Amino acid sequence: MTDATNQGTDSSGVSVTVNGREIQAKPNELLIDACERNDTYIPRFCYHPRMTPVGMCRMCLVEVDTGRGFSLQPSCMLRVSDNMSVNTESAVTKKAQDGVLEFLLINHPLDCPICDKGGECPLQDQTMAYGPGESRFIENKRNFEKPIPISDTVYLDRERCILCDRCTRFADEVAGDALIHFMDRGAKTQVNTFPEEPFASYFSGNTVQICPVGALTAKPYRFKARPWDLQEVMSTAWVDSVGSRIKVQASRDQVLRVLGVDADPVNWGWLSDKERFAFQALNSDSRLLSPLIRRGSTLEAVGWGEVLERVADALAGVDPRRIAVIGGARLTNEAQYAWAKLAKGIIGTDHIDAQLGDGLPAEVVLGLPRASIDDACRAAGTIILCGPDPKEDLGALYLRLRHAVLHQGTTLIELTPQRTGLSDLAAHSLYPRPGTVGEVAATLVAALQDPDLHNPDFRPGSAQKQAIYAAAKDISGPVTVVLGRASLAESAAPTVEAAVALSALEGVSFLSALRRGNIHGALDAGLSPGLLPGRTTLASSAERFANVWPQVPSEVGYDSSAILSAAKAGEIDVLFLLGADPSNDYIDGELASAALANAGTVVAVDVLPNDSITAYADVVLAAAASTESAGTFTNLEGRVSICEPIVAPAGVSWPDWMIAAALADRLDSDLGLDSPASIRSELASVSAIHSALSEEVLAASPVDGVMLVGNGDIEPPRSTGVTSPLNDRYSLRLLVTRRMYDNGTMLRHCPASQGQIAALALRLNPIDFEKIGVREGATVRVESARGYLDMVVRVDAGVPAGTAAVPWGTSGTDCRHLIGVDALVTDVRVERL
């Protein structure tokens, strides 16, 4: 690899002469990088700075003298050395580049006017800049059937391929999904997938972006626009908490394409397909274009004046303790602060929670020593993965972690309840049974402190304990814990216990694996019971905020589960849903439905219709989407980056912060906020961690963003002493995990992902499969204390024995009928039908 982590540690420079000018290169730096960094561009096709150089295209040939005279050498394969002389403009160099291009164009079709790459094609540009201008070949070019849909989103035009090996290297080296390869020989060599094996990678869209010609194209963008028709802004991906940096491109007031930006601390230019194609949902015909009010059984479009008056009337005279807000992770930081100020500072309620029962307590996320992505990926360090599969939940983070383990000597130890996308690279995989991760983490920490740890004659006891001690022996260097909820069929308590235990490790830091979009910005803005903006608590900062806000809640409010329980009991008169869909996205579906049905007035603020809106919302406030409103985003490491609007809000939708300000006005109050910049200014004045976040600082770091430092006054979590109960010999412990593609609101409206939502199926270890005595694909009954479901059963050796694994958010019937929100763990029995 050629990223900065592999360019040596020697701080002294290397003197290289390029075209008669002396430059300073980094030790062990590739010549092509050193030249480009010093304003001398060398043309290339196969070379990519984030992948292993292969020297296949030979376009980067330059004359190099290392002491034995000048000779042509590929600059993407050559490391710099002292006193090296390079000539990138000699007649010999130009002739070589001319010849390479002439050979590439023997078979490459001259279909630039109809090629999606036309106008931004390196082959097109370099042919003009370095090519011969005409071809001496008059023979027929090769032809292939075109295009071939190698996946649901990627099309392949084989005759355009110049065999640069970029797509195949990315799939193999970066994503670990070696599903696209070179085939055949000689003039018939082509890139393709195996028969009946589609390019079913979560990251396939990256190959389209890095393809230097139009051989790979994305179905959502194909034939939609030309580069010169597109407007472009820098922004931040909004579908998960990684906060990948992106370019958003639009034409005729419609977003047409999203591209990854190479932000060195974050995503390196890579995106998951979920991030890349999520914009399709924002172009959906189902977008909420105007406010709605329920009249009878239907929602009718109304004006903003009428709908705001309706909400104000519902709030008038209501005890703040009977008002609640669920959601907020979809919003920008500015909108989150505006809603926190509205709810806590004007309305006076602390019943507000951006996590829908599947996250972690705020003190776990905010109170532990924090790590950056770079901290987790540092060479010779140790990553303890104590959470969900990052390949399924946090795609761009998965690629960074994978690279660290493969190429930087980082040790990975898994404390996950089943195999993950990183298991093949893990030094140790401990696979604790659901509910026991805290106990295993405590044993791991104890093993590190055991004087017999490195005694070759010491035998720890059980097989699991031996595995834990073996893992402890390999922990070295700085330790980063990637922490999150691994299973939705257990409470947060076991994960909290694991965090408390692992926090005892010397120099340990934690990287959050919460998945919801801007959930970390929501916590920083105070969208959690007991919190105020700036990672501070009601108890410690109420007096300070009372000088800025009209009021501050006097007591800690409810989280999402308590809010829904209170609503079910008829104790909530007004319930706001900020981009939240409890009917489809809360762990206990029955509780969510009963709560929404019994709440007095349900006010939804959203971009797209969802199950909660359709069935229960009394008032709907149409919100502008991420590409339609300005603001900032805080990612899982606490890095703040800009979100830029590029298209006008759909219909008469408003930005979320503007909706909060308008509601405050209808309540005869004033938020005092009239723009995202003014919100950032007020937030910086009341929050110590935001105090340095000025407009100048944000503008100075448009790609990398700005890291927020400090935990405020949030105390780290303490042990609750909870332990996992034993289950009987006839039961299995239920494991419910998220997949990259589920039946969530956004993905339902995104054509690129609709066919990838999994069906409900039970996965069992071969040992448990044999005990039940059924065939692969048979239907079984899975029964818990809450209810039962019939589903197909599959064999999966990646599921530990004693565990029954099902996916979350499947098409059709989902697993929520089996889960109780108050259960520490969920045990099920599996029976043949």
Side-chain angles (χ1 to χ4, degrees), residues 702-769:
V703 177
D704 291 353
V706 180
M707 185 74 83
L708 301 180
V709 179
N711 289 357
D713 58 21
I714 306 297
E715 295 292 331
R718 297 179 180 178
S719 173
T720 61
V722 66
T723 58
S724 175
L726 297 174
N727 59 335
D728 63 61
R729 56 184 295 197
Y730 302 105
S731 297
L732 301 173
R733 189 138 290 171
L734 185 63
L735 172 66
V736 177
T737 54
R738 292 188 183 273
R739 302 287 300 273
M740 175 74 75
Y741 296 102
D742 59 21
N743 199 29
T745 300
M746 183 192 72
L747 294 180
R748 289 186 196 178
H749 294 88
C750 185
S753 62
Q754 287 173 351
Q756 303 184 57
I757 301 171
L760 183 64
L762 174 69
R763 293 177 294 116
L764 296 176
N765 185 277
I767 295 174
D768 296 315
F769 195 86

Side-chain angles (χ1 to χ4, degrees), residues 639-661:
R639 186 179 303 276
V640 176
S641 54
I642 290 290
C643 298
E644 288 283 358
I646 190 170
V647 295
V652 294
S653 60
W654 287 1
D656 295 279
W657 69 266
M658 192 179 293
I659 296 173

Side-chain angles (χ1 to χ4, degrees), residues 14 37 98 119 178 182 205 216 287 309 331 339 355 427 443 517 590 598 604 624 795 799:
V14 177
R37 200 168 45 77
D98 182 299
F182 286 128
L216 293 170
R287 274 290 301 271
E309 197 65 37
L331 280 58
W339 275 93
Q355 301 190 73
T443 305
E590 294 177 8
N598 291 339
V795 180
V799 176

Side-chain angles (χ1 to χ4, degrees), residues 175-323:
D177 299 325
L179 300 171
I180 186 168
H181 307 265
F182 286 128
M183 297 181 180
D184 297 329
R185 295 183 178 184
K188 294 184 178 180
T189 304
Q190 59 177 291
V191 165
N192 211 329
T193 59
F194 289 117
E196 309 303 324
E197 291 288 339
F199 190 22
S201 171
Y202 291 161
F203 310 100
S204 63
N206 292 287
T207 62
V208 175
Q209 181 171 338
I210 64 176
C211 178
V213 293
L216 293 170
T217 53
K219 181 181 177 181
Y221 178 71
R222 193 172 170 90
F223 302 137
K224 288 292 195 304
R226 286 300 191 185
W228 51 84
D229 295 327
L230 297 173
Q231 296 174 295
E232 179 180 280
V233 296
M234 186 85 71
S235 194
T236 306
W238 56 89
V239 302
D240 64 29
S241 63
V242 179
S244 298
R245 302 297 285 136
I246 57 174
K247 290 179 182 177
V248 182
Q249 298 178 333
S251 179
R252 298 179 295 280
D253 206 34
Q254 185 177 56
V255 175
L256 296 181
R257 185 166 64 171
V258 168
L259 300 175
V261 171
D262 195 340
D264 194 69
V266 189
N267 61 306
W268 285 9
W270 310 133
L271 298 175
S272 68
D273 288 356
K274 186 176 178 180
E275 295 170 291
R276 187 178 297 275
F277 300 122
F279 72 88
Q280 289 184 299
L282 308 184
N283 296 334
S284 169
D285 293 337
S286 300
R287 274 290 301 271
L288 296 173
L289 303 179
S290 68
L292 306 171
I293 287 181
R294 187 175 297 278
R295 293 192 171 102
S297 60
T298 61
L299 288 166
E300 297 181 5
V302 296
W304 277 104
E306 181 178 353
V307 78
L308 292 172
E309 197 65 37
R310 172 75 170 81
V311 177
D313 289 344
L315 292 169
V318 177
D319 185 337
R321 291 173 295 183
R322 297 181 67 88
I323 300 170

Side-chain angles (χ1 to χ4, degrees), residues 6 60 289 367 477 519 525 531 586 592 631 638 661 685-686 739 767 782 811:
N6 292 286
C60 69
L289 303 179
I519 186 60
L531 290 188
Y586 181 68
S685 71
V686 298
R739 302 287 300 273
I767 295 174
V782 182
S811 57

Side-chain angles (χ1 to χ4, degrees), residues 125-204:
D125 295 340
Q126 292 180 35
T127 298
M128 294 293 293
Y130 306 98
E134 60 181 315
S135 176
R136 290 175 288 176
F137 291 88
I138 60 173
E139 291 78 11
N140 290 332
K141 296 178 183 288
R142 66 180 180 179
N143 292 297
F144 290 103
E145 176 189 352
K146 62 177 291 182
I148 297 175
I150 58 175
S151 76
D152 289 343
T153 52
V154 177
Y155 283 10
L156 172 63
D157 292 84
R158 289 170 290 173
E159 73 282 358
R160 294 176 183 162
C161 179
I162 60 171
L163 305 181
C164 69
D165 200 26
R166 278 190 172 194
C167 60
T168 57
R169 274 181 291 154
F170 172 85
D172 184 21
E173 295 178 6
V174 180
D177 299 325
L179 300 171
I180 186 168
H181 307 265
F182 286 128
M183 297 181 180
D184 297 329
R185 295 183 178 184
K188 294 184 178 180
T189 304
Q190 59 177 291
V191 165
N192 211 329
T193 59
F194 289 117
E196 309 303 324
E197 291 288 339
F199 190 22
S201 171
Y202 291 161
F203 310 100
S204 63

Side-chain angles (χ1 to χ4, degrees), residues 30 58 90 100 106 115 140 250 282 291 332 397 403 538 557 567 571 650-651 669 689-690 696 705 709 735 764 779 806:
L30 288 171
R58 316 309 274 185
S90 69
V100 168
I106 290 174
C115 177
N140 290 332
L282 308 184
T332 63
L397 176 63
H403 177 272
L538 280 175
E571 298 172 2
S669 189
I689 65 166
H690 292 90
E696 294 74 21
V709 179
L735 172 66
L764 296 176
T779 300
V806 297

